[in-house]
Amino acid sequence: MAGSRLFLAPLVAVVVAVFAGYINFGSIYRTLHITGVLRKDECTIATEKLEAIHIQGTPHCEDLHHHVASGLLFTACEGSVEARHSWFPPLTIFDDASKVVEAPGAITVIDPQSMKAKRLQFQGFSGPFVTHGIDVIDDPAAAPGAAVFVFAVNHRPNAAQDPLAPKADSVIELFRHVIGTSTARHIRTIKHDLVQMPNDILALSPTSFLVTNDHFYREGAMRIIEDVYSGAVWSNTIYVEFENGAAKQHETAGVQANVALTGLHNNNGLGRGRTPEEVVLVSAASGEVYFGALERAAGQVTIRIKETFQADSTLDNPFYLVDPYANDTFDASGFVLAGLSRGINLAQHSRLIDAPDGVMVWHLQDRSLRTAGDAESLWEARLLLHDNADYIRTASAAALVPLDPAKNNGQRRAWLFVTGFLSKNMLAVNIGL
């Protein structure tokens, strides 16, 4: 998720505009709208009388992926409530690193049929694991759906004694999990100087990935400006490739990286698109979705932005649904995007265990796919869920798991799974498509 000072958005937006020598009222209005200043919260779960289930054992899981081949959901959850509210660098919470040492996070697997969560036991890994973005990719050496690699951001505390060193020493952890087992074997830790404030990951192969750095400033006044000023285009996306052979010798061994993209505000969520070469990025604070194309040249990987969509709330990690029951008359394929209904309250609430932070979940579809000859996407956004924190607090990722219409009287329905970086448990809601 985006920065931790959104409650200052209106004031900072005006101050920055004046300092820059102009006042862009359209930009200020959009900031007020996106951060929820002008929004009244509601709960569509209650008003529409939807079936909702809390999945136990899923605290503060920031990201979520549906692995179609196995039918399972993968996420990374925090070790304890105290840990998340004491040490979480993405929200500039650096109060007590000992809490995450005492209660490390974990990779968690959810069965959408039983609604049960299983916390995987690590093999060959110990120490702090402060969870954030993840990605899951099949092991090409195994049968489809038999084993996966899990890439996970780890915002571990910095062990360096230098007072000028960053407080967090963020790295990427790589695990291998055999579907059906209760363990995840640690392959290696991946560290590079270009990966400074990682947020989300997109695995391109078992030995390469893209990762977003969501900010340039880790804390302080400039971090506040970076959060709310859309002209602060200082974040970036990094392409990383690595070797596994000498991995245990050093975390930086065999790791190479290049800057794949710059020039976006609050480069945050990252996901797959409609084709193998499409990459989707999200500016959480600006509520914008960027559709890019992977380009490879001279041994480097870059991203070229082709389209942008402006949403009506803050957004986070994107998930692309390929509708398995699509037909000529109905296709639910599209992007599922979760965010905060009133992100303006986040900084005031981030250290509070029981504060309300409402959520909004969107279904974004390209309607031009149904009109012959359209060269550009025609985006349509539908609000799937609006909750005032009665059922879940914060939403940073969501995934749709469609139900077989043959078993539901022909109705098109799905389980919508929603999770957040400050949610006590993941939420599943039975919705109509």
Side-chain angles (χ1 to χ4, degrees):
M1 181 55 199
S4 58
R5 298 294 182 265
L6 288 178
F7 74 104
L8 291 175
L11 175 61
V12 173
V14 172
V15 170
V16 170
V18 172
F19 180 77
Y22 68 93
I23 297 180
N24 186 331
F25 290 103
S27 177
I28 293 173
Y29 175 82
R30 177 160 173 78
T31 298
L32 296 173
H33 182 67
I34 292 299
T35 57
V37 176
L38 308 177
R39 179 178 293 118
K40 181 179 179 181
D41 256 343
E42 59 179 291
C43 179
T44 55
I45 298 175
T47 57
E48 297 178 16
K49 298 180 180 179
L50 301 174
E51 180 184 4
I53 299 172
H54 286 104
I55 300 175
Q56 301 302 310
T58 55
H60 308 146
C61 311
E62 198 269 351
D63 202 0
L64 179 65
H65 289 271
H66 183 214
H67 183 242
V68 176
S70 66
L72 300 173
L73 295 161
F74 284 80
T75 186
C77 304
E78 195 53 271
S80 71
V81 173
E82 293 77 12
R84 179 48 50 100
H85 291 278
S86 298
W87 177 271
F88 192 51
L91 289 181
T92 66
I93 300 176
F94 301 103
D95 298 344
D96 188 355
S98 69
K99 299 297 183 181
V100 297
V101 176
E102 297 167 0
I107 303 297
T108 302
V109 179
I110 298 107
D111 183 347
Q113 303 299 319
S114 66
M115 298 294 180
K116 301 294 184 182
K118 177 171 63 176
R119 180 185 174 107
L120 300 182
Q121 300 299 311
F122 289 142
Q123 294 179 332
F125 178 80
S126 60
F129 182 40
V130 183
T131 62
H132 202 174
I134 69 166
D135 198 15
V136 180
I137 189 172
D138 281 294
D139 181 352
V148 296
F149 289 105
V150 181
F151 293 76
V153 171
N154 181 6
H155 293 293
R156 63 189 185 183
N158 200 332
Q161 300 300 312
D162 183 358
L164 298 179
K167 296 174 183 177
D169 181 25
S170 301
V171 295
I172 309 300
E173 310 290 359
L174 176 61
F175 301 91
R176 185 179 185 272
H177 169 64
V178 176
I179 301 297
T181 68
S182 59
T183 60
R185 177 169 59 88
H186 188 243
I187 304 299
R188 70 164 294 176
T189 299
I190 303 153
K191 184 174 180 177
H192 194 277
D193 289 343
L194 288 178
V195 182
Q196 299 175 343
M197 283 177 278
N199 185 303
D200 202 8
I201 305 174
L202 174 60
L204 300 178
S205 77
T207 56
S208 65
F209 59 89
L210 293 165
V211 57
T212 54
N213 285 312
D214 57 24
H215 287 82
F216 182 83
Y217 293 95
R218 298 174 187 269
E219 54 185 323
M222 290 302 295
R223 168 66 175 247
I224 298 173
I225 292 175
E226 190 176 6
D227 281 339
V228 302
Y229 175 45
S230 60
V233 291
W234 310 320
S235 58
N236 58 28
T237 299
I238 306 300
Y239 170 74
V240 181
E241 58 179 290
F242 58 94
E243 302 171 2
N244 280 331
K248 295 301 181 182
Q249 295 178 9
H250 196 276
E251 296 172 348
T252 60
V255 181
Q256 300 182 28
N258 70 264
V259 177
L261 178 67
T262 60
L264 300 184
H265 176 227
N266 192 214
N267 210 17
N268 198 288
L270 177 64
R272 290 174 174 78
R274 296 159 289 181
T275 68
E277 297 303 306
E278 186 175 57
V279 176
V280 183
L281 301 103
V282 173
S283 167
S286 291
E288 293 186 327
V289 187
Y290 305 96
F291 301 90
L294 283 175
E295 297 184 341
R296 297 173 173 85
Q300 295 195 335
V301 174
T302 57
I303 302 170
R304 177 174 55 87
I305 299 300
K306 300 184 300 179
E307 295 183 68
T308 302
F309 175 80
Q310 291 189 335
D312 288 335
S313 70
T314 67
L315 297 175
D316 215 316
N317 305 313
F319 164 77
Y320 185 65
L321 165 70
V322 179
D323 186 357
Y325 304 109
N327 54 42
D328 292 338
T329 59
F330 187 85
D331 186 353
S333 298
F335 295 94
V336 183
L337 296 143
L340 305 179
S341 57
R342 289 183 55 81
I344 191 172
N345 297 327
L346 182 57
Q348 292 176 300
H349 294 172
S350 60
R351 286 176 169 81
L352 304 177
I353 292 178
D354 294 315
D357 291 289
V359 311
M360 302 180 85
V361 182
W362 303 88
H363 189 198
L364 182 62
Q365 293 184 279
D366 179 7
R367 294 303 187 186
S368 68
L369 297 178
R370 292 161 177 78
T371 305
D374 281 356
E376 297 183 358
S377 300
L378 181 61
W379 296 110
E380 178 181 280
R382 172 196 169 203
L383 184 62
L384 293 177
L385 183 73
H386 187 174
D387 180 45
N388 57 0
D390 279 357
Y391 286 81
I392 189 168
R393 178 188 180 186
T394 71
S396 47
L400 279 171
V401 179
L403 298 172
D404 187 348
K407 299 178 181 179
N408 287 273
N409 298 318
Q411 297 182 35
R412 292 306 316 272
R413 302 194 67 83
W415 280 104
L416 173 65
F417 293 85
V418 186
T419 190
F421 48 91
L422 295 179
S423 59
K424 292 184 178 179
N425 284 294
M426 189 178 298
L427 176 69
V429 183
N430 191 313
I431 66 168
L433 294 175

